[in-house]
Amino acid sequence: TTPEFTGAPTGTDDCTNNTNTDKHTAPLFHHQSLLLLPTLLCVCERDSLFFRTHNFFSFLLLFLAAAALANTTTKNMDGSEPQEDLDAGPLEDRLVSKKWNVRRNAYEELTALFVRAEEDNDPIFGKHSATIQKILVDGNVMAQEKGLAAVAEWVTRTPLALKSVSSICAGLIDKCIAGRPGAKQKSLEIFMQFVEREVQEPAIRELVEKGFVHRVPKNLQTSIEFTRELIATFGAGVMPLKLIVGAMVPLFENSDGKIRAEAQALAVELYRWVKGAIKPSLEGLRPAQMKTLEAEWAKIDADGSRALPSRFLRSQQEKMLLQRMNGGGDAGGSGAGGASATEDEDEEMDAFDLTQPVDALAKLPPDFYDLMASKKWKDRKDTIDAAFPILSAPKLRTDCDYGTITSMLKNAVAKDVNVMVVAKAAE
């Protein structure tokens, strides 16, 4: 007979349903399962012939008994599974744990450590520099989203981030910006921090050179969106606009309608800041696309309001602070202080500044010089016609030697016997 169980608290017949059960009595209750073992052994001894002829069923019976025993000894008093301690162990080990929820909690703890750091040279930033890159490629989207908060704090607070702009931005473009909404928003904030810390050129370069040609349409579309958001927030005057504008025309030729729509939104945003200066750079668009853009640009002209940034570079923030201390300007981006911080950039913007210089010599027909020396006037005229649009580019590279081609054209003007060749060469 089974001995009477004496481990249950007074006032109940079922310790599993008693809300006042002491957790220290649970092992006594679980050990009752051990009393099944003598009974099982007795059965085996009494009917050994049966178990010898039914080996499979005997093994199954023993296995089920052991499983039941293991199950009863691993559950809490209320029958629930015991909770794993996700915060146990050193932080360094938990940051690389194979369990996503352990990494998630570790990322949250790391974020708190960054926030509490009082100096930008605190050792905690250097100690976890390698972790920042690992967060960007975390395979679990929920853990990654929490980790991006740590990346944002790291980028905001330490000068070490300025040495890793390209690698961090490339990781965001490839793994984060097209993910969950929270991850996308945190990725945008990291780009914002890089611009605010005045490393906008490498950040924008990654968006243009990697994002604008990304093989995944959603990543490509989001890269265009991020570029537009950065311009709308900080203004066009602090951005490498030549880099952006020079890569826009292929976006309008993309087969994905969402990408074309985002490219159009970027062109409209640029027009808010630089007005007609952007038009020459987009002359390669189809007439229907230009017509759509011009209709949107006309709305901006009719509105007449001036575009102003809502966020500023750190050097601009310092300038505005001095202005306020001297009694001039206000703290907002829409007031006099915000306008004066960027007025220099806006005044200097024109179409020539946005134009990419062309390497005309590399674009000339390979037989240009031979045909210029041809005895047939039509060959000479045709080769000048082919070279004309190349040499008429708004901006030519200044590090090329144009001496030879200039001499050949001058010689054609002075000595060619065909008046059509002379006129074209002079033009």
Side-chain angles (χ1 to χ4, degrees):
T1 59
T2 303
E4 181 180 356
F5 173 65
T6 58
T10 305
T12 180
D13 293 330
D14 184 1
C15 67
T16 62
N17 295 325
N18 180 22
T19 57
N20 297 321
T21 300
D22 189 338
K23 65 180 181 179
H24 296 295
T25 65
L28 293 176
F29 171 74
H30 293 156
H31 291 164
Q32 277 189 303
S33 301
L34 295 174
L35 298 177
L36 293 173
L37 293 180
T39 304
L40 182 61
L41 293 175
C42 289
V43 171
C44 292
E45 179 68 22
R46 184 180 61 192
D47 200 2
S48 59
L49 178 61
F50 175 81
F51 280 96
R52 283 198 301 270
T53 57
H54 298 78
N55 288 330
F56 172 76
F57 295 103
S58 61
F59 172 78
L60 181 61
L61 181 59
L62 288 170
F63 176 79
L64 293 176
L69 179 61
N71 186 54
T72 58
T73 57
T74 57
K75 288 188 176 182
N76 295 325
M77 292 293 297
D78 58 358
S80 63
E81 296 293 334
Q83 294 295 319
E84 179 184 6
D85 187 357
L86 302 180
D87 299 324
L91 176 61
E92 290 73 13
D93 294 341
R94 288 184 282 120
L95 287 170
V96 295
S97 172
K98 293 183 178 180
K99 298 181 179 180
W100 72 268
N101 49 359
V102 174
R103 295 197 307 276
R104 177 199 60 195
N105 286 19
Y107 293 155
E108 291 178 332
E109 184 176 334
L110 183 62
T111 304
L113 290 176
F114 289 159
V115 171
R116 289 199 297 267
E118 297 181 356
E119 302 290 339
D120 60 6
N121 60 351
D122 192 295
I124 192 67
F125 295 118
K127 182 178 181 181
H128 293 287
S129 294
T131 303
I132 299 302
Q133 296 292 341
K134 293 177 181 178
I135 289 174
L136 302 179
V137 296
D138 195 303
N140 184 276
V141 292
M142 289 184 284
Q144 183 189 67
E145 185 174 336
K146 293 294 183 181
L148 287 175
V151 177
E153 291 295 336
W154 191 79
V155 169
T156 302
R157 296 173 179 273
T158 176
L160 294 174
L162 305 183
K163 301 178 182 180
S164 307
V165 181
S166 296
S167 60
I168 291 177
C169 291
L172 291 172
I173 292 168
D174 203 39
K175 300 293 184 181
C176 304
I177 65 175
R180 292 158 60 93
K184 177 181 176 180
Q185 188 59 39
K186 288 182 174 69
S187 298
L188 177 59
E189 177 56 29
I190 293 170
F191 274 97
M192 295 276 190
Q193 286 294 339
F194 278 133
V195 174
E196 185 175 305
R197 301 200 67 175
E198 307 192 40
V199 285
Q200 60 269 39
E201 197 278 337
I204 292 294
R205 184 173 295 278
E206 292 299 320
L207 282 171
V208 172
E209 295 184 352
K210 289 187 173 62
F212 283 17
V213 295
H214 203 279
R215 65 187 184 280
V216 180
K218 190 172 182 181
N219 294 64
L220 196 162
Q221 178 187 344
T222 308
S223 295
I224 305 172
E225 179 186 346
F226 276 21
T227 304
R228 174 175 56 82
E229 289 286 349
L230 292 172
I231 294 172
T233 303
F234 290 93
V238 299
M239 296 294 174
L241 292 186
K242 287 190 293 185
L243 185 64
I244 298 171
V245 173
M248 285 184 62
V249 172
L251 300 177
F252 285 89
E253 300 171 356
N254 196 286
S255 59
D256 192 313
K258 293 181 180 179
I259 292 175
R260 295 196 303 272
E262 198 59 60
Q264 177 179 312
L266 175 59
V268 172
E269 182 60 38
L270 282 168
Y271 188 86
R272 291 182 60 239
W273 297 91
V274 302
K275 301 301 181 184
I278 191 179
K279 290 184 178 181
S281 300
L282 300 178
E283 289 179 348
L285 299 185
R286 296 196 301 271
Q289 293 174 325
M290 280 301 299
K291 183 177 180 180
T292 302
L293 282 176
E294 287 173 351
E296 295 296 323
W297 292 341
K299 295 177 184 178
I300 296 175
D301 292 335
D303 179 75
S305 61
R306 181 185 179 189
L308 291 173
S310 58
R311 191 165 170 175
F312 303 92
L313 309 183
R314 292 193 178 182
S315 61
Q316 293 175 332
Q317 295 174 23
E318 294 173 359
K319 181 179 178 180
M320 293 166 62
L321 178 60
L322 289 175
Q323 289 175 346
R324 290 196 298 271
M325 292 175 64
N326 294 330
D330 59 23
S334 60
S340 61
T342 58
E343 60 185 3
D344 294 339
E345 292 88 346
D346 292 340
E347 291 174 357
E348 296 175 359
M349 192 67 58
D350 59 32
F352 191 75
D353 290 331
L354 296 181
T355 304
Q356 291 280 13
V358 175
D359 186 354
L361 298 183
K363 292 179 175 293
L364 286 175
D367 55 354
F368 173 80
Y369 299 103
D370 293 336
L371 291 176
M372 282 295 294
S374 173
K375 294 182 179 181
K376 298 179 179 180
W377 71 268
K378 192 173 187 309
D379 289 344
R380 299 195 300 275
K381 178 182 176 299
D382 289 345
T383 194
I384 295 175
D385 287 339
F388 184 80
I390 299 172
L391 298 174
S392 301
K395 183 188 292 186
L396 299 178
R397 285 182 56 175
T398 58
D399 58 346
C400 297
D401 184 6
Y402 300 103
T404 302
I405 190 172
T406 302
S407 297
M408 296 187 75
L409 292 173
K410 288 173 62 178
N411 185 64
V413 172
K415 299 181 178 180
D416 201 287
V417 296
N418 186 280
V419 67
M420 297 180 66
V421 174
V422 171
K424 201 65 181 177
E427 186 180 353

